[in-house]
Amino acid sequence: MKYISLTGLMCFFSLVNIAQTTPVDQFLDGKSVVLVSAATSPLPPVNWQDLAEEIHPALVAAGGDPVAYFDLEEVILTDAIKNAYASHFSTRQIKNIVLLIRKEDGRLFCHIFPFSGNGNIISPGNNWSTQASDKGEFKEQIQAIGLNKRSENFLVIEVPEYPSIPGLENNSVNSGYIQAAPLNLDVFKLGILLTGAAGNESYLNTFRQDIYGKEQNQVMEEQRAQREGIEQIFKAEYPFQTEFLTTSKSNQELISEKVQFILMKQEGREADLMRSMGVPLEQGKNPDAIVVKYYIRFLVRNELYIGEKWDASPDWRLALKDFLDQITP
């Protein structure tokens, strides 16, 4: 009987420990990576590293161990890049992902999530968050995370660090982009993913400063408008066969149905997109402008065709129209 009671007691304490594990507890007992997305338009101008320098002391004073800072826009640029970051975070035994966001109106937001351990980096669910319009108040709120709590983080670095990620130094994960139009578009179907304004973006992408905080009804309206707009543009601009894809299919299933090409989309800072795709930054372009770039993925050889001319635009309609114009007769 006493063994049964002991077993029950051990299970009780295990459940208590699980229940007590919160984002704050984990933040105070594990290494954190900080991803920053900062609008540069408010005055005075502040880039993401400026914000990191400003907030780092508050995260340390709160009891955290922020071991590295990265630009969110660079992390979410492609799935391959996100996977490279996630692999590095796993190697460094990162427990927490801290998100710092500065909106165009100067408002500041902070979220603390558990690291997901995979290429998604974070997952929807329990997180700690705060926001403020005043930078001083924002730092005070962050410092209060560890109020009356014991931190297990020791030997914390006093200044923010911006390490490189192994495998990304020379954009090695981005090979495969070809500055040309794909051949045989007139023979095989082009698959078009009808997934709305968010495209194939993950949850992490919703924390990018220019789209963070949008109301759900606004997002749904943008998705509906984009679906309708894509269909209209293709009817007017694309003379070959298309197939609008509304359900998930494997590459082999698509190829068996004569869909050998998929329309892809990337959205991000223009300088980041051009660098990742191997295109030199042109004079006169705003490197921080958020633009959309369409390209085509050839399923058989996993080749990515971006066209001969750079045609990205802040307006997704113009970006799509210009891309279709240059890859079709």
Side-chain angles (χ1 to χ4, degrees):
M1 183 70 178
K2 94 179 152 181
Y3 293 109
I4 296 175
S5 299
L6 181 61
T7 301
L9 191 63
M10 290 174 66
C11 291
F12 170 77
F13 280 117
S14 296
L15 291 173
V16 169
N17 286 335
I18 292 172
Q20 289 178 341
T21 300
T22 68
V24 169
D25 295 329
Q26 193 161 295
F27 174 74
L28 298 174
D29 186 22
K31 293 186 287 188
S32 300
V33 156
V34 185
L35 306 180
V36 187
S37 181
T40 57
S41 55
L43 295 175
V46 175
N47 63 33
W48 73 272
Q49 289 182 329
D50 292 333
L51 188 58
E53 299 282 343
E54 185 78 25
I55 304 302
H56 179 77
L59 290 170
V60 172
D65 184 12
V67 298
Y69 287 76
F70 300 100
D71 183 1
L72 176 66
E73 275 79 353
E74 292 190 4
V75 175
I76 63 176
L77 198 56
T78 68
D79 287 341
I81 289 176
K82 279 190 290 188
N83 288 333
Y85 275 92
S87 177
H88 180 68
F89 296 165
S90 295
T91 300
R92 293 204 62 182
Q93 299 182 327
I94 299 300
K95 284 189 175 182
N96 315 289
I97 302 297
V98 179
L99 296 163
L100 293 179
I101 303 121
R102 187 196 192 214
K103 296 286 287 180
E104 285 191 353
D105 59 9
R107 287 180 299 157
L108 296 158
F109 300 83
C110 179
H111 292 265
I112 300 176
F113 283 88
F115 170 47
S116 67
N118 57 34
N120 293 331
I121 298 183
I122 63 170
S123 300
N126 190 24
N127 70 94
W128 179 91
S129 65
T130 191
Q131 63 174 299
S133 298
D134 177 76
K135 194 177 294 182
E137 179 187 352
F138 186 63
K139 290 190 284 188
E140 288 178 3
Q141 291 175 358
I142 291 175
Q143 291 178 41
I145 294 174
L147 193 64
N148 299 323
K149 291 180 178 288
R150 174 182 171 84
S151 174
E152 301 298 328
N153 293 318
F154 306 105
L155 301 177
V156 177
I157 57 175
E158 296 299 324
V159 294
E161 293 189 348
Y162 312 102
S164 60
I165 300 298
L168 293 184
E169 298 90 343
N170 299 313
N171 292 322
S172 60
V173 299
N174 299 313
S175 59
Y177 290 107
I178 300 171
Q179 295 183 45
L183 301 175
N184 299 324
L185 286 173
D186 58 334
V187 177
F188 299 102
K189 297 177 186 177
L190 173 63
I192 305 164
L193 297 168
L194 285 183
T195 51
N200 58 356
E201 295 172 350
S202 71
Y203 181 56
L204 181 63
N205 297 51
T206 64
F207 291 89
R208 201 180 67 200
Q209 57 83 18
D210 60 312
I211 59 176
Y212 175 78
K214 283 187 176 181
E215 296 292 336
Q216 183 64 28
N217 59 351
Q218 182 182 0
V219 173
M220 291 178 67
E221 177 60 24
E222 289 177 354
Q223 290 176 345
R224 183 194 62 77
Q226 190 172 42
R227 283 196 296 269
E228 293 178 356
I230 287 175
E231 291 176 323
Q232 292 172 1
I233 291 171
F234 265 89
K235 287 179 181 177
E237 304 290 337
Y238 193 77
F240 307 130
Q241 296 182 82
T242 59
E243 182 165 332
F244 290 93
L245 306 174
T246 57
T247 59
S248 177
K249 294 182 179 181
S250 70
N251 287 353
Q252 289 305 315
E253 287 177 313
L254 291 170
I255 291 170
S256 69
E257 297 171 4
K258 294 191 68 177
V259 179
Q260 293 205 7
F261 302 100
I262 298 289
L263 181 72
M264 307 293 291
K265 183 188 82 169
Q266 287 291 343
E267 184 173 6
R269 282 195 305 252
E270 189 151 26
D272 295 337
L273 290 176
M274 296 181 81
R275 183 174 65 252
S276 71
M277 294 181 179
V279 179
L281 183 64
E282 300 172 9
Q283 288 187 350
K285 286 190 176 296
N286 176 7
D288 293 322
I290 302 296
V291 298
V292 173
K293 175 71 180 90
Y294 285 93
Y295 59 99
I296 285 179
R297 179 185 172 205
F298 180 38
L299 295 178
V300 176
R301 292 199 293 268
N302 198 31
E303 295 172 339
L304 309 174
Y305 291 87
I306 63 174
E308 294 183 3
K309 299 180 295 183
W310 184 254
D311 50 22
S313 171
D315 183 340
W316 69 264
R317 296 172 181 82
L318 183 59
L320 179 56
K321 182 180 182 301
D322 287 348
F323 179 64
L324 294 179
D325 284 347
Q326 71 159 310
I327 65 170
T328 56

